[in-house]
């Protein structure tokens, strides 16, 4: 391997020179400004958020809350209709008040603020490098290149946003580390306030409760007497409860009043609301199936991302950090058993962060297994790699190996995938809705869960409740009786919104036709010959089509979809109506197929056509 040493040393020297500016005193401040702005620009470049969860419940939940529809609508977005909407309010308001691209930019900037917190945590842990901020900056930048974080950048899913209070709690405790060891009221206030921040994050998104528990247990590493640590952990727990009460208490109280379950419909095996099935509603489909899988889980979900996500996330950081944790544990155990010298420990601050990291992963592994719930510690993963290598190897070897591993892990993410984006338009959401006769006595049904349609409720009259039938909500006799009572109390007219078929290849075709027209290739025989030749050579997934007579716009030719990409949209719409009718029969309702009309709706620049049909009760 000696023949590699010279080029590797040259590469290392080049990297040192190119990154030397990061050691300037002003570099952290400049990065703290630029990185969030770059995140905003990246969000802008990716386009309008068009994820499934957004169209199902993130937009609807905030709309329902702010327009007094909670309790009048019935599970319009399935069981997710009853998730705490506090986190969704900023996204809803921004998309209502601002041009859609500006709203996307603002959300990207807000998500980019995680960089400041990761940088702050790194600087607290790398105090030997305090006068040379380059290392902390590079580790924070590597954290921002996580597959989960980038997949949600600028969207409404909430994991990037709630990482902010989680990481802020960790940062505050590290910054006040000496205060925690002191026996005075400042330590109590620090533990309480950091718990309050963590609790706010857990209240906004309950999956963050695992981070609250992990951080509470990490208080065991604080350099203080045992009972002092216990008292501080208890105060931190009180702060967590207060934070959860601030961001989720009001919603839990509302759910208790309406349904008799503060976490409705989840954990109904505890609260026994008659309006939901007995059960926890936790999604256990992503957790390991057995102990063997649990022990190899980072390797399994790295090789097959579908085990932890619905999109093909690419990453290598988790096998790396997992192996390093195992190596650190083995070295520590070996040295302890040999008793020849004191085992190499992580140091108090580093031990605190590493224990928090490890416990958070283990709780996630047991309860969720869904990758995006890992984002707060994914942001800290490069820092964990550095801390572990520093305790396993010599300083120089650790630096070189960390640089190589983190460079490979960061590049492995690219090109990253997202949860769905549309092209930008002036308004984020639009829909054509006909005039509804007597909306005060009408109902709007939603019976097709895929694609989700709850986001369209905002375009219908607010007096018109939305009722989902046969979707993801498990129905009980009391729940069905509530639906029947609502239908009986409203004489109609009633409607159902159904997705209309669309050809996924059509937008691409229209862009290619527009480009051909802009080039003047459809307006003359010579241009058409050029277009035909071009389309055959480049395999554009479209076919050349000569027009038998000149088009009224002076076009002599155009492009059309290949036969294999052509779709019978009318037949697909008819099949959708047939499925809807089957579901309506179970509720003694019938769909009037002859009344169905097609309308347009848009998320950004992407079309979501839909059908609106009359629904009538079956005679008893």
């Amino acid at each position: 391997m000696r023949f590699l040493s010279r080029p590797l040393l040259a590469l290392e020297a080049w990297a040192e020179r190119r990154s030397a500016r990061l050691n300037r005193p002003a570099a952290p401040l400049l990065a703290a400004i630029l990185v969030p702005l770059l995140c905003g620009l990246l969000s802008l470049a990716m386009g309008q958020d068009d994820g499934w969860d957004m169209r199902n419940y993130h937009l609807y939940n905030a709309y329902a809350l702010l327009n007094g529809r909670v309790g009048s609508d019935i599970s319009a977005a399935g069981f997710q209709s009853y998730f705490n909407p506090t986190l969704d309010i900023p996204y809803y308001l921004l998309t209502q008040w601002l041009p859609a691209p500006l709203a996307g930019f603002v959300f990207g900037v807000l998500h980019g603020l995680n960089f400041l917190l990761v940088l702050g945590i790194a600087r607290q842990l790398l105090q030997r490098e305090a006068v040379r901020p380059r290392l902390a900056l590079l580790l924070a930048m590597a954290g921002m290149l996580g597959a989960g974080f980038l997949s949600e950048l600028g969207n409404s899913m909430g994991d990037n946003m709630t990482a902010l209070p989680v990481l802020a709690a960790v940062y505050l405790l590290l910054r006040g580390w000496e205060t925690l060891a002191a026996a005075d009221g400042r330590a109590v206030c620090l533990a309480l306030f950091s718990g309050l921040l963590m609790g706010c994050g857990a209240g906004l998104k309950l999956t963050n409760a695992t981070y609250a528990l992990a951080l509470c247990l990490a208080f065991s590493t604080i350099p203080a007497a045992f009972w002092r640590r216990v008292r501080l952990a208890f105060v931190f727990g009180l702060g967590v409860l207060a934070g959860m009460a601030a961001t989720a208490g009001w919603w839990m109280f509302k759910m208790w009043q309406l349904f008799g379950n503060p976490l409705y419909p989840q954990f109904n095996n505890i609260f026994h609301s008659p309006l939901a099935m007995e059960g926890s509603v936790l999604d256990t489909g992503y957790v390991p199936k057995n102990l063997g899988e649990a022990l190899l889980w980072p390797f399994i979900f790295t090789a097959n991302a579908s085990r932890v996500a619905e999109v093909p996330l690419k990453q290598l950081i988790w096998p790396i950090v997992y192996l390093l944790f195992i190596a650190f544990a083995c070295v520590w155990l070996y040295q302890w058993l040999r008793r020849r010298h004191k085992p190499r420990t992580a140091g108090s601050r580093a031990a605190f962060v590493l224990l928090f990291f490890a416990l958070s992963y283990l709780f996630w592994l047991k309860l969720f297994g869904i990758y995006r719930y890992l984002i707060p510690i994914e942001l800290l993963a490069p820092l964990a790699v550095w801390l572990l290598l520093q305790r396993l190897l010599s300083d120089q070897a650790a630096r070189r190996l960390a640089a190589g591993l983190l460079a490979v892990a960061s590049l492995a993410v690219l090109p990253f995938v997202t949860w769905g984006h549309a092209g930008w338009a002036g308004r984020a959401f639009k829909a054509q809705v006909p005039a509804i006769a007597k909306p005060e006595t009408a109902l709007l049904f939603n019976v097709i869960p895929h694609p989700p349609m709850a986001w369209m409720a905002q375009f219908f009259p607010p007096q018109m409740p939305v009722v989902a039938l046969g979707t993801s909500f498990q129905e009980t006799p009391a729940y069905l009786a509530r639906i029947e009572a609502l239908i009986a109390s409203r004489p109609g007219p009633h409607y159902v919104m159904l997705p209309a078929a669309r050809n996924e290849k059509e937008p691409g075709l229209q862009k290619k036709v527009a480009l051909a027209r802009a080039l003047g290739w459809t307006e003359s025989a010579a241009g058409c010959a050029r277009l035909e030749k071009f389309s055959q050579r480049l395999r554009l997934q479209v076919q050349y089509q000569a027009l038998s007579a000149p088009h009224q716009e002076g076009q002599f030719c155009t492009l059309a979809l290949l036969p294999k990409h052509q779709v019978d949209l009318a037949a697909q719409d008819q099949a959708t109506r047939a499925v809807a009718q089957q579901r309506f029969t179970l509720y003694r309702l019938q769909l009037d197929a002859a009344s169905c009309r097609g309308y347009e709706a848009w998320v950004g620049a992407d079309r979501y056509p839909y059908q609106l049909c009359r629904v009538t009760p079956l005679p008893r």
Side-chain angles (χ1 to χ4, degrees):
M1 298 295 288
R2 289 184 179 180
F3 70 95
L4 289 176
S5 61
R6 183 171 296 178
L8 288 176
L9 288 173
L11 179 62
E12 181 181 355
W14 176 84
E16 288 279 344
R17 291 194 303 271
R18 300 302 297 177
S19 62
R21 292 185 178 183
L22 297 179
N23 278 328
R24 294 180 178 179
L29 177 60
L30 188 61
I33 296 171
L34 290 180
V35 171
L37 290 177
L38 288 173
C39 288
L41 292 174
L42 182 56
S43 173
L44 196 60
M46 290 191 294
Q48 162 77 42
D49 176 20
D50 191 21
W52 194 95
D53 284 357
M54 183 278 295
R55 285 182 279 121
N56 185 42
Y57 70 96
H58 287 306
L59 197 68
Y60 166 79
N61 285 5
Y63 162 75
L65 173 69
L66 298 177
N67 291 272
R69 300 183 70 123
V70 178
S72 60
D73 290 353
I74 300 181
S75 61
F79 73 89
Q80 294 98 331
S81 306
Y82 305 104
F83 286 1
N84 181 2
T86 307
L87 184 60
D88 299 317
I89 293 174
Y91 181 84
Y92 174 78
L93 293 179
L94 283 175
T95 55
Q96 294 293 309
W97 294 345
L98 300 179
L102 181 55
F105 174 79
V106 170
F107 245 62
V109 171
L110 290 174
H111 290 176
L113 295 178
N114 280 289
F115 172 79
L116 278 68
L117 294 169
V118 178
L119 176 61
I121 291 170
R123 297 191 74 178
Q124 290 297 320
L125 293 170
L126 305 173
Q127 293 188 350
R128 286 190 307 166
E129 306 282 344
V131 295
R132 301 174 61 204
R134 174 173 53 186
L135 177 59
L137 284 168
L138 291 175
L139 290 173
M141 291 176 186
M144 300 292 281
L145 291 175
F149 177 81
L150 290 175
S151 74
E152 292 193 30
L153 183 63
N155 81 6
S156 59
M157 295 180 80
D159 302 285
N160 285 356
M161 193 68 79
T162 57
L164 291 169
V166 171
L167 295 179
V170 177
Y171 170 71
L172 281 181
L173 290 172
L174 290 173
R175 184 169 182 177
W177 194 253
E178 286 79 11
T179 300
L180 291 175
D184 56 28
R186 292 180 302 162
V188 173
C189 291
L190 178 61
L192 185 65
F193 187 65
S194 61
L196 185 67
L197 284 172
M198 181 65 80
C200 286
L204 291 172
K205 195 172 180 73
L206 290 179
T207 54
N208 289 322
T210 55
Y211 297 113
L213 179 58
L215 198 59
C216 186
L217 294 176
F219 271 73
S220 60
T221 63
I222 291 174
F226 174 77
W227 287 111
R228 177 70 178 167
R229 284 178 275 169
V230 171
R231 286 194 296 271
L232 288 175
F234 178 75
V235 171
F236 173 82
L238 292 179
V240 169
L241 294 177
M244 292 184 69
T247 55
W250 67 273
W251 181 253
M252 292 180 181
F253 181 69
K254 191 176 189 69
M255 292 296 98
W256 178 266
Q257 286 183 313
L258 291 173
F259 307 112
N261 177 348
L263 299 172
Y264 183 81
Q266 300 179 100
F267 301 103
N268 206 46
N269 53 331
I270 299 173
F271 298 102
H272 309 293
S273 168
L275 294 170
M277 296 290 289
E278 296 281 325
S280 66
V281 197
L282 280 177
D283 186 354
T284 58
Y286 291 95
V287 298
K289 307 301 181 185
N290 50 56
L291 179 60
E293 279 199 349
L295 293 175
L296 297 174
W297 197 234
F299 306 100
I300 292 172
F301 70 71
T302 299
N304 182 10
S306 65
R307 295 298 303 273
V308 293
E310 296 93 338
V311 295
L313 299 172
K314 298 181 300 180
Q315 56 78 33
L316 288 177
I317 192 67
W318 284 104
I320 293 172
V321 74
Y322 185 67
L323 286 174
L324 289 175
F325 264 108
I326 292 175
F328 177 75
C330 290
V331 169
W332 187 93
L333 182 62
Y334 172 79
Q335 294 178 349
W336 182 80
L337 291 174
R338 297 281 292 182
R339 296 182 184 275
R340 291 186 176 178
H341 50 76
K342 186 178 179 180
R344 300 175 71 180
T345 62
S348 57
R349 276 190 176 90
F352 176 77
V353 171
L354 291 174
L355 182 59
F356 164 71
F357 189 102
L359 291 174
S360 297
Y361 170 80
L362 292 174
F363 294 150
W364 168 85
L365 181 72
K366 176 64 177 177
L367 294 175
F368 304 120
I370 297 174
Y371 188 91
R372 55 194 179 91
Y373 299 165
L374 275 178
I375 285 177
I377 58 172
E378 180 193 64
L379 289 160
L380 296 176
L383 180 58
V385 168
W386 175 266
L387 293 174
L388 291 167
L389 283 173
Q390 284 289 309
R391 282 142 189 88
L392 290 170
L393 303 173
S394 66
D395 187 66
Q396 186 178 35
R399 283 175 176 270
R400 289 179 175 175
L401 185 56
L405 290 175
L406 293 178
V408 170
S410 298
L411 293 174
V413 172
L414 306 174
F416 61 90
V417 298
T418 72
W419 295 87
H421 287 86
W424 290 113
R427 288 192 59 80
F429 310 101
K430 296 182 294 184
Q432 298 173 346
V433 175
I436 303 294
K438 299 181 179 179
E440 66 278 1
T441 62
L443 290 174
L444 180 63
F445 292 104
N446 180 16
V447 297
I448 303 294
H450 305 286
M453 301 190 70
W455 68 277
M456 292 183 55
Q458 61 182 307
F459 301 108
F460 287 85
Q463 313 96 304
M464 191 177 181
V466 180
V467 180
L469 302 176
T471 57
S472 62
F473 202 99
Q474 296 180 330
E475 299 162 344
T476 64
Y479 179 87
L480 291 172
R482 186 169 176 236
I483 292 175
E484 291 175 358
L486 182 61
I487 295 173
S489 68
R490 288 180 167 256
H494 302 324
Y495 298 87
V496 61
M497 53 181 179
L498 302 172
R502 60 173 184 164
N503 193 322
E504 301 290 344
K505 299 292 183 179
E506 189 68 30
L509 170 67
Q510 296 303 323
K511 292 178 182 178
K512 292 166 187 174
V513 170
L515 178 60
R517 289 187 176 187
L519 294 172
W521 289 359
T522 62
E523 300 171 354
S524 65
C528 288
R530 191 176 297 111
L531 178 61
E532 181 177 17
K533 183 177 180 180
F534 190 79
S535 63
Q536 291 173 347
R537 285 189 174 182
L538 292 190
R539 297 182 181 180
L540 299 177
Q541 297 297 310
V542 293
Q543 61 184 351
Y544 171 82
Q545 185 178 73
L547 300 177
S548 56
H551 192 269
Q552 62 181 1
E553 297 180 1
Q555 308 298 316
F556 289 83
C557 59
T558 188
L559 297 172
L561 292 173
L562 296 172
K564 65 179 181 179
H565 294 152
Q566 295 174 9
V567 177
D568 188 343
L569 301 179
Q572 289 191 5
D573 286 345
Q574 185 177 3
T576 299
R577 292 193 293 269
V579 171
Q581 181 55 66
Q582 291 177 355
R583 292 182 178 170
F584 276 128
T585 303
L586 301 175
Y587 301 88
R588 301 191 60 80
L589 299 168
Q590 64 180 0
L591 182 149
D592 181 3
S595 70
C596 294
R597 298 290 183 272
Y599 299 95
E600 293 290 337
W602 295 268
V603 173
D606 281 15
R607 292 175 60 244
Y608 281 93
Y610 74 101
Q611 308 172 71
L612 193 65
C613 310
R614 289 286 300 273
V615 176
T616 57
L618 287 170
R620 294 187 177 272

